[in-house]
Amino acid sequence: MPVRDTKGRFCGTLHRKQADNNWQRNYFVLDEDKCLLRYFSIMNAKEEELDWDDYDGEINVRLITKIEDKSKSDDKSIPDGCIIEIQTCNERCYVRADTKEGAEEWIRTLRKAAVNPSKRQERRTEEAETANLSGEDQGKESTDDSKTEHVCYETKIIGGVVVRTPVTKVTDSDGESQSTDSLTRSGSAGATSTIKPIKEGYLIKKGAVVKNWKKRYFKLDFLKLAYYEKETDKEPIKVIYSTDIKDARKAPGVDNNREYLFEVVTSTRTFLFQGSTEEEMKSWIDAISKFASLRVRSSSEPEPQKVQEPTQTFQYAQTTTL
């Protein structure tokens, strides 16, 4: 079974499939701080202290696109559920654990590291900054507290309404990063407005990095389609503005025998959702398509031409001097 070493790294012995289809036993170490999965020879692993630089190969965790349990193996001597497929942008490799439990532990840890590879590093940085701050004198601490925090805003004109959105980076549990939205309309009062959802409910969504399916709560209003982890959450996981939506349509095929699939197409990505029934799928497609088309039509309307006021010319009579 894999363990954590004294440096907090995830370690264990795995069999790596080579080009000639033979399995070679290696010692694997996952360093989440450095976002690296390295494998070493068994002789190196037996040393009192592992030489981190003396490795046989490595995989950059930031480049991992898929981690899958290859539960069925052509080799009858290998138990089911022990082979793991690790796919990156430019290569694919297979490793094998000795037990099914060990393989499941590696899959969970690798997926967690691949979804948010810099999370541990950010937490370490925050802890270091907190430790440095606590070591300073009270006067310095008071000066730092008095500094004003700078907030960046994104401004959009949607349907003739100026919308200012504070840009706050949030990490999506589905492997995405985006900005949270707090919509503030500029008007005579300049107050924050609450937009009532046109349609809301639970849907199943396919992840962006790890291609798994998760249940999310969706809210559609005149400006955006947002989804949350739970119905009671106040901050969305991600926001898709209606001006970015190009199309909402039924998915052309099936995914692992799943039914009632539909797509929401944007300029940067195609989202895949699943409804519980065909009627629910059609109602979401119709609602999203309707308001996406309204936003496109509203943004493409020409500005009203200004009426040119007639210019008056005055003719002055000639005067004579007596």
Side-chain angles (χ1 to χ4, degrees):
M1 289 291 291
V3 295
R4 294 276 181 182
D5 63 8
T6 56
K7 297 182 179 180
R9 299 176 299 194
F10 195 75
C11 311
T13 303
L14 295 171
H15 300 267
R16 181 175 55 87
K17 192 173 185 179
Q18 298 179 302
D20 56 0
N21 291 331
N22 291 323
W23 295 90
Q24 179 178 337
R25 192 177 181 87
N26 291 100
Y27 189 72
F28 281 75
V29 179
L30 172 63
D31 193 323
E32 292 140 307
D33 290 344
K34 298 179 180 178
C35 299
L36 289 175
L37 174 64
R38 285 184 175 178
Y39 52 90
F40 305 82
S41 66
I42 296 299
M43 296 301 297
N44 192 347
K46 290 181 179 180
E47 300 291 334
E48 292 184 2
E49 185 174 352
L50 180 69
D51 187 356
W52 176 252
D53 296 324
D54 185 15
Y55 59 94
D56 292 349
E58 68 177 9
I59 298 174
N60 191 332
V61 175
R62 293 187 179 93
L63 302 181
I64 293 178
T65 58
K66 184 173 76 170
I67 302 166
E68 188 174 353
D69 176 11
K70 306 298 286 187
S71 56
K72 297 297 181 181
S73 172
D74 297 334
D75 190 349
K76 301 302 181 182
S77 64
I78 301 175
D80 290 344
C82 293
I83 299 180
I84 307 168
E85 177 186 353
I86 304 174
Q87 185 172 334
T88 65
C89 301
N90 51 15
E91 66 176 338
R92 178 184 299 171
C93 68
Y94 295 90
V95 294
R96 174 169 58 89
D98 293 329
T99 63
K100 185 177 180 179
E101 292 76 14
E104 291 174 350
E105 188 70 22
W106 271 107
I107 290 173
R108 280 195 299 268
T109 306
L110 286 171
R111 282 179 175 174
K112 184 178 178 181
V115 167
N116 192 359
S118 57
K119 182 177 180 181
R120 285 173 59 88
Q121 184 64 35
E122 291 175 357
R123 187 168 67 246
R124 293 286 181 90
T125 304
E126 291 176 359
E127 291 174 355
E129 291 176 353
T130 304
N132 292 336
L133 181 61
S134 61
E136 295 175 354
D137 58 292
Q138 186 67 30
K140 177 66 176 177
E141 203 170 296
S142 302
T143 305
D144 291 341
D145 292 341
S146 63
K147 291 182 179 179
T148 305
E149 182 181 357
H150 296 281
V151 180
C152 298
Y153 287 88
E154 180 183 6
T155 304
K156 291 186 178 181
I157 299 177
I158 304 177
V161 178
V162 179
V163 179
R164 297 183 69 236
T165 307
V167 179
T168 307
K169 197 135 186 187
V170 177
T171 302
D172 182 0
S173 60
D174 297 335
E176 305 164 10
S177 63
Q178 69 287 328
S179 300
T180 61
D181 71 330
S182 175
L183 297 175
T184 306
R185 292 190 175 187
S186 70
S188 57
T192 302
S193 64
T194 303
I195 303 176
K196 185 178 179 181
I198 301 160
K199 185 173 180 60
E200 57 184 312
Y202 280 100
L203 292 171
I204 308 297
K205 172 191 166 294
K206 190 172 184 179
V209 179
V210 181
K211 305 298 183 181
N212 54 355
W213 293 85
K214 292 185 179 180
K215 189 176 182 180
R216 296 288 183 249
Y217 193 80
F218 286 76
K219 290 184 181 180
L220 173 67
D221 60 41
F222 184 63
L223 297 177
K224 66 188 182 302
L225 172 66
Y227 59 86
Y228 306 74
E229 186 173 357
K230 300 186 296 294
E231 181 180 358
T232 54
D233 290 351
K234 295 183 179 179
E235 293 295 334
I237 295 175
K238 187 172 182 63
V239 172
I240 310 170
Y241 287 101
S242 53
T243 50
D244 296 332
I245 297 175
K246 307 298 182 183
D247 192 15
R249 64 200 179 197
K250 184 178 179 180
V254 295
D255 191 302
N256 293 332
N257 297 324
R258 289 180 177 269
E259 297 181 311
Y260 319 125
L261 301 178
F262 65 97
E263 299 174 337
V264 175
V265 183
T266 68
S267 57
T268 58
R269 179 185 165 191
T270 298
F271 295 83
L272 189 59
F273 305 131
Q274 181 188 20
S276 57
T277 62
E278 186 173 0
E279 291 75 15
E280 183 183 48
M281 176 193 70
K282 290 181 178 179
S283 66
W284 275 103
I285 292 175
D286 293 342
I288 295 171
S289 301
K290 175 182 177 182
F291 288 96
S293 62
L294 285 176
R295 302 307 317 125
V296 172
R297 192 160 60 245
S298 173
S299 61
S300 61
E301 289 177 355
E303 294 184 359
Q305 296 182 354
K306 294 183 179 180
V307 179
Q308 186 175 3
E309 297 181 358
T311 57
Q312 296 181 351
T313 57
F314 298 92
Q315 195 171 22
Y316 295 93
Q318 295 182 357
T319 59
T320 57
T321 305
L322 296 177

